Structures are given as structure tokens and as C-alpha cells.
Amino acid sequence: AAYQPRTKSNVLDSDGTLIFGNPKSPGCKLTIKLAKENKKPFMIIGWQTGDPVPAQPILEFQQWIINNKIETLNVAGNRESKQPGIFNAVKEFLILGLKDL
């Protein structure tokens, strides 16, 4: 129920954060705020239930990983219960985005 401390730890303990889903949700807004406050790089991939996995930002994501020297990636986003299908969308995006790095 109290996700805020976990969100803060995840942002601080990583080199950068990929935010996947609705960036206007409370949890995503908190993640963005914490990343900005702590000068941590973040990238937002907007996605809604029923959308295909976004292929366009794959190259941008790969370049972001390289440019920011991301070794430990925090993946944040909406809960599966709030956005059905997000687990599989994130999984597919990460497989495509990380396979050539």
C-alpha cells in the first residue's frame, strides 16, 4: 500500500529509470519527481492497455542506455491490475531494447 519508500529506493539505487505506462498516474509522477530531484536520468514510454508494444522508441531507448552508462536499470510503471497487459508489453519492449546491447 505504501509504495513511496520503495519507489525512492528504486530510483536512488539505479543508474536510470524507464517509466512505462501512464506518466500522469500518481506513482509515475512520484518517480519522475524523485528522478529529477536526485538528478537521475529517466525515460518515459507512454502506453495504455490495448496499445501495441511501442517499437519506435527502441533505438532511442538503446541510445539513452548507452549515453547515460546505465548498468542498473529501474523499470517503473503502472500495476498490472491498473493496466492489464502492461507486464507483457514491458517484457517485450525490454527484450527488443536490450538484445543488441
Side-chain angles (χ1 to χ4, degrees):
Y3 63 87
Q4 296 87 349
R6 182 183 70 241
T7 298
K8 184 173 185 178
S9 292
N10 289 342
V11 169
L12 294 177
D13 293 343
S14 65
D15 299 315
T17 299
L18 174 68
I19 300 163
F20 202 99
N22 177 3
K24 295 183 181 185
S25 70
C28 289
K29 285 168 57 174
L30 175 63
T31 303
I32 293 165
K33 177 181 177 272
L34 291 168
K36 286 180 178 178
E37 285 177 357
N38 292 283
K39 297 178 175 43
K40 294 283 195 161
F42 64 94
M43 181 176 184
I44 300 169
I45 304 294
W47 185 87
Q48 296 295 321
T49 297
D51 285 353
V53 174
Q56 184 64 26
I58 294 285
L59 292 176
E60 181 183 342
F61 171 68
Q62 291 173 331
Q63 199 59 53
W64 178 78
I65 291 279
I66 293 165
N67 290 346
N68 290 288
K69 300 178 174 101
I70 307 280
E71 291 187 22
T72 302
L73 176 66
N74 175 32
V75 180
N78 308 117
R79 296 170 188 244
E80 179 76 19
S81 62
K82 300 279 184 191
Q83 277 204 297
I86 197 167
F87 174 83
N88 286 328
V90 170
K91 181 179 172 185
E92 187 175 333
F93 182 86
L94 290 173
I95 288 169
L96 293 171
L98 297 174
K99 73 176 182 175
D100 295 326
L101 293 181

Coordinates of all heavy atoms in Angstrom, one line a residue:
A1 N 0.8 -1.2 0.0 CA 0.0 0.0 0.0 C 0.9 1.3 0.0 O 0.5 2.2 -0.7 CB -0.9 0.0 1.2
A2 N 2.0 1.3 0.7 CA 2.8 2.4 0.8 C 4.0 2.2 -0.1 O 5.1 1.7 0.3 CB 3.3 2.7 2.2
Y3 N 3.8 2.6 -1.4 CA 4.9 2.3 -2.4 C 5.9 3.4 -2.4 O 7.0 3.2 -3.1 CB 4.2 2.2 -3.8 CG 3.5 3.4 -4.3 CD1 4.2 4.4 -4.9 CD2 2.1 3.6 -4.0 CE1 3.5 5.5 -5.4 CE2 1.5 4.7 -4.5 CZ 2.2 5.7 -5.1 OH 1.5 6.8 -5.6
Q4 N 5.7 4.5 -1.8 CA 6.6 5.7 -1.9 C 8.0 5.4 -1.5 O 9.0 5.7 -2.2 CB 6.1 6.9 -1.1 CG 4.8 7.4 -1.7 CD 3.5 6.8 -1.1 OE1 3.6 5.7 -0.5 NE2 2.3 7.3 -1.4
P5 N 8.3 4.7 -0.3 CA 9.6 4.4 0.1 C 10.3 3.5 -0.9 O 11.5 3.7 -1.2 CB 9.5 3.8 1.5 CG 8.2 4.2 2.0 CD 7.3 4.4 0.8
R6 N 9.6 2.5 -1.4 CA 10.2 1.6 -2.4 C 10.5 2.3 -3.7 O 11.6 2.1 -4.3 CB 9.2 0.4 -2.7 CG 9.7 -0.6 -3.6 CD 8.7 -1.7 -4.0 NE 7.6 -1.1 -4.8 CZ 6.3 -1.1 -4.4 NH1 6.0 -1.6 -3.3 NH2 5.4 -0.6 -5.2
T7 N 9.6 3.2 -4.1 CA 9.9 4.0 -5.3 C 11.2 4.8 -5.2 O 12.0 4.8 -6.1 CB 8.7 4.9 -5.6 OG1 7.5 4.1 -5.8 CG2 8.9 5.8 -6.8
K8 N 11.3 5.5 -4.0 CA 12.5 6.3 -3.8 C 13.8 5.4 -3.8 O 14.8 5.8 -4.4 CB 12.4 7.0 -2.5 CG 13.6 8.0 -2.2 CD 13.3 8.8 -1.0 CE 14.5 9.8 -0.8 NZ 14.3 10.7 0.3
S9 N 13.7 4.3 -3.1 CA 14.9 3.4 -3.1 C 15.2 2.9 -4.5 O 16.4 2.8 -4.9 CB 14.6 2.2 -2.2 OG 14.5 2.6 -0.9
N10 N 14.2 2.6 -5.3 CA 14.5 2.1 -6.6 C 15.1 3.1 -7.5 O 16.0 2.8 -8.3 CB 13.2 1.6 -7.3 CG 12.7 0.3 -6.7 OD1 13.4 -0.4 -6.0 ND2 11.4 0.0 -6.9
V11 N 14.7 4.4 -7.4 CA 15.3 5.5 -8.1 C 16.7 5.7 -7.7 O 17.6 5.8 -8.5 CB 14.5 6.8 -8.0 CG1 15.2 8.0 -8.6 CG2 13.1 6.6 -8.7
L12 N 17.0 5.7 -6.4 CA 18.3 6.0 -5.9 C 19.3 4.9 -6.1 O 20.5 5.2 -6.3 CB 18.2 6.3 -4.4 CG 17.5 7.6 -4.0 CD1 17.4 7.7 -2.5 CD2 18.1 8.8 -4.6
D13 N 18.8 3.7 -6.1 CA 19.7 2.5 -6.2 C 20.0 2.1 -7.7 O 20.6 1.1 -7.9 CB 19.1 1.3 -5.5 CG 19.1 1.5 -4.0 OD1 19.8 2.4 -3.5 OD2 18.4 0.8 -3.3
S14 N 19.5 2.9 -8.6 CA 19.7 2.5 -10.0 C 20.5 3.7 -10.7 O 20.6 4.8 -10.2 CB 18.4 2.3 -10.7 OG 17.6 3.5 -10.7
D15 N 20.9 3.4 -11.9 CA 21.6 4.4 -12.7 C 20.7 5.2 -13.6 O 21.0 6.3 -14.0 CB 22.6 3.7 -13.7 CG 23.7 2.9 -12.9 OD1 24.2 3.5 -12.0 OD2 24.0 1.8 -13.3
G16 N 19.4 4.7 -13.8 CA 18.4 5.4 -14.5 C 17.1 4.6 -14.5 O 17.1 3.5 -14.1
T17 N 16.0 5.3 -14.8 CA 14.7 4.7 -14.7 C 13.9 4.8 -16.0 O 13.9 5.9 -16.6 CB 13.9 5.4 -13.6 OG1 14.6 5.3 -12.3 CG2 12.5 4.9 -13.5
L18 N 13.4 3.7 -16.4 CA 12.5 3.6 -17.5 C 11.1 3.6 -16.9 O 10.8 2.7 -16.1 CB 12.7 2.3 -18.4 CG 11.7 2.1 -19.5 CD1 11.8 3.1 -20.6 CD2 11.8 0.7 -20.0
I19 N 10.3 4.6 -17.3 CA 8.9 4.7 -16.8 C 8.0 4.3 -18.0 O 8.0 4.9 -19.0 CB 8.6 6.1 -16.4 CG1 9.6 6.5 -15.2 CG2 7.2 6.3 -15.9 CD1 9.7 8.0 -15.0
F20 N 7.2 3.2 -17.7 CA 6.4 2.6 -18.8 C 5.0 2.7 -18.4 O 4.6 2.2 -17.3 CB 6.8 1.2 -19.0 CG 6.5 0.6 -20.3 CD1 7.4 0.5 -21.3 CD2 5.2 0.1 -20.5 CE1 7.1 -0.1 -22.5 CE2 4.9 -0.5 -21.8 CZ 5.9 -0.5 -22.8
G21 N 4.1 3.3 -19.2 CA 2.7 3.3 -18.9 C 2.2 4.7 -18.9 O 2.5 5.5 -19.8
N22 N 1.3 5.0 -18.0 CA 0.7 6.4 -17.9 C 1.5 7.3 -17.0 O 1.4 7.2 -15.8 CB -0.8 6.2 -17.4 CG -1.5 7.6 -17.2 OD1 -0.9 8.6 -17.6 ND2 -2.7 7.5 -16.7
P23 N 2.2 8.2 -17.6 CA 3.1 9.1 -16.8 C 2.3 10.1 -15.9 O 2.9 10.7 -15.1 CB 3.9 9.9 -17.9 CG 3.1 9.8 -19.1 CD 2.3 8.5 -19.0
K24 N 1.0 10.1 -16.1 CA 0.2 11.0 -15.2 C -0.4 10.3 -14.0 O -1.0 10.9 -13.2 CB -0.9 11.7 -16.0 CG -0.3 12.6 -17.1 CD -1.4 13.3 -17.9 CE -0.7 14.2 -18.9 NZ -1.7 15.0 -19.7
S25 N -0.1 9.0 -13.9 CA -0.6 8.3 -12.7 C 0.2 8.8 -11.5 O 1.4 9.2 -11.6 CB -0.4 6.8 -12.9 OG 0.9 6.4 -12.9
P26 N -0.3 8.6 -10.3 CA 0.4 9.1 -9.1 C 1.8 8.5 -8.9 O 2.7 9.2 -8.6 CB -0.5 8.7 -7.9 CG -1.9 8.6 -8.5 CD -1.7 8.1 -9.9
G27 N 1.9 7.2 -9.1 CA 3.2 6.5 -8.9 C 4.2 7.0 -9.9 O 5.4 7.2 -9.6
C28 N 3.8 7.1 -11.2 CA 4.7 7.6 -12.2 C 5.1 9.0 -12.0 O 6.3 9.4 -12.1 CB 4.1 7.4 -13.6 SG 4.0 5.7 -14.1
K29 N 4.2 9.9 -11.5 CA 4.5 11.3 -11.2 C 5.5 11.3 -10.1 O 6.5 12.1 -10.1 CB 3.3 12.0 -10.9 CG 2.4 12.4 -12.1 CD 1.0 12.9 -11.9 CE 0.9 14.1 -11.0 NZ -0.5 14.6 -11.0
L30 N 5.4 10.5 -9.1 CA 6.3 10.4 -8.0 C 7.7 10.0 -8.5 O 8.7 10.6 -8.1 CB 5.9 9.5 -6.9 CG 6.8 9.3 -5.7 CD1 7.1 10.6 -5.0 CD2 6.3 8.2 -4.8
T31 N 7.7 9.0 -9.3 CA 9.0 8.5 -9.9 C 9.7 9.6 -10.6 O 10.9 9.8 -10.5 CB 8.8 7.3 -10.8 OG1 8.1 6.3 -10.0 CG2 10.1 6.7 -11.3
I32 N 9.0 10.3 -11.5 CA 9.6 11.4 -12.2 C 10.1 12.5 -11.3 O 11.2 13.0 -11.5 CB 8.5 12.0 -13.2 CG1 8.2 11.0 -14.3 CG2 9.0 13.3 -13.8 CD1 7.0 11.3 -15.1
K33 N 9.3 12.9 -10.3 CA 9.7 13.9 -9.3 C 11.0 13.5 -8.6 O 12.0 14.3 -8.5 CB 8.6 14.1 -8.3 CG 8.9 15.1 -7.2 CD 7.7 15.2 -6.2 CE 8.0 16.0 -5.1 NZ 8.6 15.4 -3.9
L34 N 11.1 12.2 -8.2 CA 12.3 11.7 -7.4 C 13.5 11.7 -8.4 O 14.6 12.0 -7.9 CB 12.0 10.4 -6.8 CG 11.0 10.4 -5.7 CD1 10.6 8.9 -5.4 CD2 11.6 11.0 -4.5
A35 N 13.3 11.3 -9.6 CA 14.4 11.2 -10.6 C 15.0 12.6 -10.8 O 16.2 12.8 -10.8 CB 14.0 10.6 -11.9
K36 N 14.1 13.6 -11.0 CA 14.5 15.0 -11.2 C 15.2 15.5 -10.0 O 16.3 16.1 -10.1 CB 13.3 15.9 -11.5 CG 12.8 15.7 -12.9 CD 11.6 16.6 -13.2 CE 11.0 16.4 -14.6 NZ 9.9 17.3 -14.8
E37 N 14.7 15.3 -8.8 CA 15.3 15.8 -7.6 C 16.7 15.2 -7.3 O 17.5 15.9 -6.8 CB 14.4 15.5 -6.4 CG 13.1 16.3 -6.2 CD 12.3 15.9 -5.1 OE1 12.6 14.9 -4.4 OE2 11.2 16.5 -4.9
N38 N 16.9 14.0 -7.7 CA 18.1 13.3 -7.5 C 19.0 13.3 -8.7 O 20.0 12.6 -8.7 CB 17.9 11.9 -6.9 CG 17.2 12.0 -5.6 OD1 17.9 12.2 -4.6 ND2 15.9 11.8 -5.5
K39 N 18.7 14.1 -9.7 CA 19.4 14.2 -11.0 C 19.8 12.8 -11.6 O 20.9 12.5 -12.0 CB 20.7 15.0 -10.7 CG 20.4 16.4 -10.3 CD 21.7 17.2 -10.0 CE 21.4 18.7 -9.7 NZ 20.4 19.1 -8.9
K40 N 18.8 12.0 -11.6 CA 18.9 10.6 -12.2 C 18.2 10.7 -13.5 O 17.1 11.2 -13.7 CB 18.2 9.6 -11.3 CG 18.9 9.4 -10.0 CD 20.1 8.5 -10.1 CE 20.6 8.0 -8.7 NZ 21.5 6.9 -8.9
P41 N 18.8 10.1 -14.6 CA 18.2 10.1 -15.9 C 16.9 9.2 -15.9 O 16.9 8.2 -15.2 CB 19.3 9.5 -16.8 CG 20.2 8.8 -15.9 CD 20.1 9.4 -14.6
F42 N 16.0 9.6 -16.7 CA 14.7 8.8 -16.8 C 14.2 8.9 -18.2 O 14.5 9.9 -18.9 CB 13.7 9.2 -15.8 CG 13.1 10.6 -15.9 CD1 12.0 10.8 -16.7 CD2 13.8 11.6 -15.3 CE1 11.5 12.1 -16.8 CE2 13.3 12.9 -15.4 CZ 12.1 13.2 -16.2
M43 N 13.5 7.9 -18.6 CA 12.9 7.9 -20.0 C 11.5 7.4 -19.8 O 11.2 6.5 -19.1 CB 13.7 7.0 -20.9 CG 13.1 6.9 -22.3 SD 14.1 5.9 -23.4 CE 13.3 6.2 -24.9
I44 N 10.5 8.1 -20.5 CA 9.1 7.8 -20.4 C 8.6 7.1 -21.7 O 8.9 7.7 -22.8 CB 8.3 9.0 -20.1 CG1 8.7 9.7 -18.8 CG2 6.8 8.7 -20.1 CD1 8.1 11.0 -18.5
I45 N 8.0 6.0 -21.6 CA 7.4 5.3 -22.7 C 5.9 5.2 -22.4 O 5.4 4.5 -21.5 CB 7.9 3.9 -22.9 CG1 9.4 3.8 -23.1 CG2 7.2 3.2 -24.1 CD1 9.9 4.5 -24.3
G46 N 5.1 6.1 -23.0 CA 3.7 6.1 -22.8 C 3.0 4.8 -23.4 O 3.4 4.4 -24.5
W47 N 2.2 4.2 -22.6 CA 1.5 3.0 -23.1 C 0.2 2.9 -22.3 O 0.1 3.2 -21.1 CB 2.3 1.8 -22.8 CG 1.8 0.5 -23.3 CD1 2.0 0.0 -24.5 CD2 0.9 -0.4 -22.6 NE1 1.3 -1.2 -24.7 CE2 0.7 -1.5 -23.5 CE3 0.4 -0.5 -21.3 CZ2 -0.1 -2.6 -23.1 CZ3 -0.4 -1.5 -21.0 CH2 -0.7 -2.6 -21.9
Q48 N -0.9 2.5 -23.1 CA -2.2 2.2 -22.5 C -2.6 0.8 -22.8 O -2.2 0.3 -23.9 CB -3.2 3.2 -23.0 CG -2.9 4.7 -22.7 CD -3.0 4.9 -21.2 OE1 -3.9 4.4 -20.5 NE2 -2.1 5.7 -20.6
T49 N -3.4 0.2 -22.0 CA -4.0 -1.1 -22.2 C -4.6 -1.2 -23.6 O -5.3 -0.3 -24.0 CB -5.0 -1.5 -21.2 OG1 -4.4 -1.5 -19.9 CG2 -5.7 -2.8 -21.5
G50 N -4.2 -2.2 -24.4 CA -4.7 -2.4 -25.7 C -3.7 -1.9 -26.8 O -3.8 -2.2 -28.0
D51 N -2.8 -1.0 -26.4 CA -1.8 -0.5 -27.3 C -0.8 -1.6 -27.7 O -0.5 -2.5 -26.9 CB -1.0 0.7 -26.7 CG -1.7 2.0 -26.6 OD1 -2.9 2.0 -27.1 OD2 -1.2 2.9 -26.0
P52 N -0.3 -1.5 -28.9 CA 0.8 -2.5 -29.3 C 2.1 -2.0 -28.5 O 2.2 -0.9 -28.0 CB 1.0 -2.3 -30.8 CG 0.5 -0.9 -31.1 CD -0.6 -0.7 -30.0
V53 N 3.0 -2.9 -28.5 CA 4.3 -2.6 -27.8 C 5.0 -1.5 -28.7 O 5.1 -1.7 -29.9 CB 5.2 -3.8 -27.7 CG1 6.6 -3.4 -27.2 CG2 4.6 -4.8 -26.8
P54 N 5.4 -0.4 -28.2 CA 5.9 0.7 -29.0 C 7.3 0.3 -29.5 O 8.2 0.1 -28.8 CB 6.0 1.9 -28.0 CG 6.0 1.3 -26.7 CD 5.3 -0.1 -26.8
A55 N 7.4 0.2 -30.9 CA 8.6 -0.2 -31.5 C 9.5 1.1 -31.8 O 10.7 1.0 -31.8 CB 8.4 -0.9 -32.8
Q56 N 8.8 2.2 -32.0 CA 9.6 3.4 -32.4 C 10.6 3.8 -31.5 O 11.7 4.1 -31.9 CB 8.5 4.6 -32.6 CG 9.2 5.8 -33.1 CD 9.8 5.7 -34.5 OE1 9.3 4.9 -35.3 NE2 10.7 6.5 -34.8
P57 N 10.4 3.8 -30.2 CA 11.4 4.3 -29.2 C 12.5 3.3 -28.9 O 13.3 3.6 -28.0 CB 10.6 4.7 -28.0 CG 9.4 3.9 -28.0 CD 9.1 3.6 -29.5
I58 N 12.5 2.2 -29.5 CA 13.6 1.2 -29.2 C 15.0 1.7 -29.4 O 15.8 1.6 -28.5 CB 13.4 -0.2 -30.0 CG1 12.1 -0.9 -29.6 CG2 14.6 -1.1 -29.8 CD1 12.1 -1.6 -28.3
L59 N 15.2 2.3 -30.5 CA 16.5 2.9 -30.8 C 16.9 4.0 -29.9 O 18.0 4.2 -29.4 CB 16.7 3.3 -32.3 CG 16.7 2.2 -33.3 CD1 16.7 2.8 -34.7 CD2 17.8 1.2 -33.1
E60 N 15.9 4.8 -29.6 CA 16.0 5.9 -28.6 C 16.4 5.4 -27.2 O 17.3 5.9 -26.5 CB 14.8 6.8 -28.6 CG 14.8 8.0 -27.6 CD 13.5 8.7 -27.5 OE1 12.7 8.6 -28.4 OE2 13.4 9.5 -26.6
F61 N 15.7 4.3 -26.8 CA 16.0 3.7 -25.5 C 17.4 3.1 -25.5 O 18.1 3.4 -24.5 CB 14.9 2.5 -25.3 CG 15.2 1.7 -24.1 CD1 15.1 2.2 -22.8 CD2 15.6 0.3 -24.3 CE1 15.4 1.3 -21.7 CE2 15.9 -0.5 -23.2 CZ 15.8 0.0 -21.9
Q62 N 17.8 2.5 -26.6 CA 19.2 1.9 -26.6 C 20.2 3.0 -26.5 O 21.2 2.9 -25.8 CB 19.4 1.1 -27.9 CG 18.6 -0.2 -27.9 CD 18.6 -0.9 -29.2 OE1 18.8 -0.3 -30.3 NE2 18.4 -2.2 -29.2
Q63 N 20.0 4.1 -27.2 CA 20.9 5.2 -27.2 C 20.9 5.9 -25.8 O 22.0 6.3 -25.3 CB 20.6 6.3 -28.2 CG 21.7 7.2 -28.6 CD 22.9 6.5 -29.1 OE1 22.9 5.7 -30.0 NE2 24.1 6.7 -28.4
W64 N 19.8 6.0 -25.2 CA 19.7 6.5 -23.8 C 20.5 5.7 -22.8 O 21.2 6.2 -22.0 CB 18.2 6.6 -23.4 CG 17.9 7.1 -22.0 CD1 17.9 8.3 -21.6 CD2 17.6 6.3 -20.9 NE1 17.6 8.4 -20.3 CE2 17.4 7.1 -19.8 CE3 17.4 4.9 -20.7 CZ2 17.0 6.7 -18.5 CZ3 17.0 4.4 -19.4 CH2 16.9 5.3 -18.4
I65 N 20.4 4.3 -22.9 CA 21.1 3.4 -22.1 C 22.6 3.7 -22.3 O 23.4 3.8 -21.3 CB 20.8 1.9 -22.4 CG1 19.4 1.6 -22.0 CG2 21.8 1.0 -21.8 CD1 19.2 1.2 -20.6
I66 N 23.1 3.8 -23.5 CA 24.5 4.0 -23.8 C 25.0 5.3 -23.3 O 26.0 5.4 -22.6 CB 24.8 3.8 -25.3 CG1 24.5 2.3 -25.7 CG2 26.2 4.3 -25.7 CD1 24.4 2.1 -27.2
N67 N 24.2 6.4 -23.7 CA 24.6 7.8 -23.3 C 24.7 8.0 -21.8 O 25.5 8.7 -21.3 CB 23.7 8.8 -23.9 CG 23.8 8.8 -25.4 OD1 24.7 8.3 -26.0 ND2 22.8 9.5 -26.1
N68 N 23.8 7.3 -21.1 CA 23.8 7.5 -19.6 C 24.5 6.4 -18.8 O 24.5 6.4 -17.6 CB 22.3 7.6 -19.1 CG 21.7 8.9 -19.6 OD1 22.0 10.0 -19.1 ND2 20.8 8.8 -20.6
K69 N 25.2 5.6 -19.6 CA 26.0 4.5 -19.0 C 25.2 3.7 -17.9 O 25.6 3.5 -16.8 CB 27.3 5.1 -18.4 CG 28.2 5.7 -19.4 CD 29.4 6.3 -18.8 CE 30.3 6.9 -19.8 NZ 30.3 8.3 -20.0
I70 N 24.0 3.3 -18.3 CA 23.1 2.6 -17.4 C 23.5 1.2 -17.3 O 23.6 0.4 -18.3 CB 21.6 2.7 -18.0 CG1 21.2 4.1 -18.3 CG2 20.7 1.9 -17.0 CD1 20.7 4.9 -17.1
E71 N 23.9 0.8 -16.1 CA 24.2 -0.6 -15.8 C 23.1 -1.2 -15.0 O 22.7 -2.4 -15.2 CB 25.5 -0.7 -15.1 CG 26.7 -0.4 -16.0 CD 28.0 -0.7 -15.3 OE1 28.1 -1.5 -14.4 OE2 29.0 0.0 -15.8
T72 N 22.5 -0.5 -14.0 CA 21.4 -0.9 -13.2 C 20.2 -0.1 -13.6 O 20.2 1.1 -13.4 CB 21.7 -0.8 -11.7 OG1 22.9 -1.5 -11.4 CG2 20.5 -1.3 -10.9
L73 N 19.2 -0.8 -14.3 CA 18.0 -0.1 -14.8 C 16.9 -0.3 -13.8 O 16.5 -1.5 -13.5 CB 17.7 -0.6 -16.2 CG 16.4 -0.1 -16.8 CD1 16.6 1.4 -17.1 CD2 16.1 -0.9 -18.1
N74 N 16.2 0.8 -13.4 CA 15.0 0.7 -12.7 C 13.8 0.8 -13.7 O 13.8 1.7 -14.5 CB 14.9 1.9 -11.7 CG 13.6 1.9 -10.9 OD1 12.9 0.9 -10.7 ND2 13.1 3.1 -10.6
V75 N 12.9 -0.2 -13.7 CA 11.8 -0.2 -14.6 C 10.6 0.1 -13.7 O 10.2 -0.7 -12.8 CB 11.6 -1.5 -15.3 CG1 10.4 -1.5 -16.2 CG2 12.9 -1.8 -16.1
A76 N 9.9 1.2 -14.0 CA 8.8 1.7 -13.2 C 7.6 1.8 -14.1 O 7.7 1.9 -15.3 CB 9.1 3.0 -12.5
G77 N 6.4 1.7 -13.5 CA 5.2 1.9 -14.3 C 4.0 1.5 -13.5 O 4.0 1.2 -12.3
N78 N 2.9 1.4 -14.2 CA 1.6 1.1 -13.6 C 1.5 -0.4 -13.3 O 2.2 -1.2 -13.9 CB 0.5 1.5 -14.6 CG 0.7 2.9 -15.0 OD1 0.8 3.2 -16.2 ND2 0.6 3.9 -14.1
R79 N 0.7 -0.7 -12.3 CA 0.5 -2.1 -11.9 C -0.4 -2.8 -13.0 O -1.2 -2.2 -13.6 CB -0.3 -2.1 -10.6 CG 0.4 -1.5 -9.4 CD -0.6 -1.4 -8.3 NE 0.1 -0.6 -7.2 CZ 0.3 -1.2 -6.0 NH1 0.0 -2.4 -5.7 NH2 0.9 -0.4 -5.1
E80 N -0.1 -4.1 -13.1 CA -0.9 -4.9 -14.0 C -2.4 -4.8 -13.7 O -3.2 -4.8 -14.6 CB -0.4 -6.4 -13.9 CG -1.1 -7.3 -14.8 CD -0.7 -7.3 -16.3 OE1 0.3 -6.7 -16.6 OE2 -1.5 -7.8 -17.1
S81 N -2.7 -4.7 -12.4 CA -4.2 -4.6 -12.0 C -4.8 -3.3 -12.5 O -6.0 -3.3 -12.7 CB -4.3 -4.8 -10.5 OG -3.7 -3.7 -9.9
K82 N -4.0 -2.3 -12.7 CA -4.5 -1.0 -13.2 C -4.4 -0.9 -14.7 O -5.2 -0.2 -15.3 CB -3.7 0.2 -12.6 CG -3.7 0.2 -11.1 CD -5.0 0.9 -10.6 CE -4.9 1.0 -9.1 NZ -6.1 1.4 -8.5
Q83 N -3.4 -1.6 -15.3 CA -3.3 -1.5 -16.8 C -3.0 -3.0 -17.2 O -1.8 -3.3 -17.4 CB -2.1 -0.6 -17.2 CG -2.5 0.8 -17.2 CD -1.6 1.6 -18.2 OE1 -0.5 1.7 -17.9 NE2 -2.2 2.1 -19.2
P84 N -4.1 -3.7 -17.4 CA -3.9 -5.1 -17.9 C -3.1 -5.2 -19.2 O -3.3 -4.4 -20.1 CB -5.3 -5.6 -18.1 CG -6.2 -4.7 -17.2 CD -5.5 -3.4 -17.2
G85 N -2.1 -6.1 -19.2 CA -1.2 -6.3 -20.3 C 0.1 -5.6 -20.2 O 1.0 -5.8 -21.1
I86 N 0.3 -4.7 -19.2 CA 1.5 -3.9 -19.1 C 2.7 -4.8 -18.9 O 3.8 -4.6 -19.4 CB 1.4 -2.8 -18.1 CG1 2.5 -1.8 -18.4 CG2 1.4 -3.3 -16.7 CD1 2.3 -0.5 -17.7
F87 N 2.6 -5.9 -18.1 CA 3.7 -6.8 -17.8 C 4.3 -7.3 -19.1 O 5.5 -7.3 -19.4 CB 3.3 -8.0 -16.9 CG 4.3 -9.0 -16.7 CD1 5.3 -8.8 -15.8 CD2 4.4 -10.1 -17.5 CE1 6.4 -9.7 -15.7 CE2 5.4 -11.1 -17.4 CZ 6.4 -10.9 -16.5
N88 N 3.4 -7.9 -20.0 CA 3.9 -8.4 -21.3 C 4.4 -7.4 -22.2 O 5.4 -7.6 -22.9 CB 2.8 -9.3 -22.0 CG 2.6 -10.6 -21.3 OD1 3.5 -11.2 -20.7 ND2 1.3 -11.0 -21.3
A89 N 3.8 -6.2 -22.2 CA 4.3 -5.1 -23.0 C 5.7 -4.7 -22.6 O 6.6 -4.5 -23.4 CB 3.4 -3.9 -23.0
V90 N 5.9 -4.5 -21.3 CA 7.3 -4.1 -20.8 C 8.3 -5.2 -21.1 O 9.4 -5.0 -21.5 CB 7.2 -3.9 -19.3 CG1 8.6 -3.7 -18.7 CG2 6.4 -2.6 -19.0
K91 N 7.9 -6.5 -20.9 CA 8.8 -7.6 -21.1 C 9.2 -7.6 -22.6 O 10.4 -7.7 -22.9 CB 8.1 -8.9 -20.8 CG 8.9 -10.2 -21.0 CD 8.1 -11.4 -20.6 CE 8.9 -12.7 -21.0 NZ 8.1 -13.9 -20.7
E92 N 8.3 -7.5 -23.5 CA 8.6 -7.5 -24.9 C 9.5 -6.3 -25.3 O 10.5 -6.4 -26.0 CB 7.3 -7.5 -25.8 CG 7.6 -7.6 -27.2 CD 6.3 -7.7 -28.1 OE1 5.3 -8.2 -27.5 OE2 6.4 -7.4 -29.2
F93 N 9.2 -5.1 -24.7 CA 10.0 -3.9 -25.0 C 11.4 -4.1 -24.5 O 12.3 -3.7 -25.3 CB 9.3 -2.7 -24.3 CG 10.1 -1.4 -24.6 CD1 9.8 -0.7 -25.7 CD2 11.0 -0.9 -23.7 CE1 10.4 0.5 -26.0 CE2 11.7 0.3 -24.0 CZ 11.4 1.0 -25.1
L94 N 11.6 -4.6 -23.3 CA 12.9 -4.8 -22.8 C 13.7 -5.9 -23.6 O 14.9 -5.7 -23.8 CB 12.9 -5.2 -21.3 CG 12.4 -4.0 -20.4 CD1 12.2 -4.6 -19.0 CD2 13.4 -2.9 -20.4
I95 N 13.0 -6.9 -24.0 CA 13.7 -7.9 -24.8 C 14.2 -7.3 -26.1 O 15.4 -7.5 -26.5 CB 12.8 -9.2 -25.0 CG1 12.6 -10.0 -23.8 CG2 13.4 -10.0 -26.2 CD1 11.6 -11.0 -23.8
L96 N 13.4 -6.6 -26.8 CA 13.8 -5.9 -28.0 C 14.8 -4.8 -27.8 O 15.8 -4.7 -28.5 CB 12.5 -5.3 -28.7 CG 11.5 -6.2 -29.2 CD1 10.2 -5.4 -29.6 CD2 12.0 -7.0 -30.4
G97 N 14.7 -4.1 -26.7 CA 15.6 -3.0 -26.5 C 16.9 -3.4 -25.9 O 17.9 -2.6 -26.2
L98 N 17.0 -4.5 -25.2 CA 18.3 -4.8 -24.6 C 19.1 -5.9 -25.4 O 20.2 -6.2 -25.1 CB 18.1 -5.3 -23.2 CG 17.5 -4.2 -22.3 CD1 17.2 -4.8 -20.9 CD2 18.4 -3.1 -22.1
K99 N 18.4 -6.5 -26.4 CA 19.0 -7.7 -27.0 C 20.3 -7.4 -27.8 O 21.2 -8.2 -27.9 CB 18.1 -8.4 -27.9 CG 17.7 -7.7 -29.2 CD 16.8 -8.6 -30.0 CE 16.5 -7.9 -31.4 NZ 15.8 -8.7 -32.3
D100 N 20.5 -6.2 -28.3 CA 21.6 -5.8 -29.1 C 22.7 -5.0 -28.3 O 23.6 -4.5 -28.9 CB 21.2 -5.1 -30.4 CG 20.4 -5.9 -31.3 OD1 20.7 -7.1 -31.4 OD2 19.5 -5.4 -31.9
L101 N 22.4 -4.8 -27.0 CA 23.4 -4.0 -26.2 C 24.5 -4.9 -25.6 O 24.4 -6.0 -25.3 CB 22.6 -3.2 -25.1 CG 21.7 -2.2 -25.6 CD1 21.1 -1.4 -24.5 CD2 22.5 -1.1 -26.5

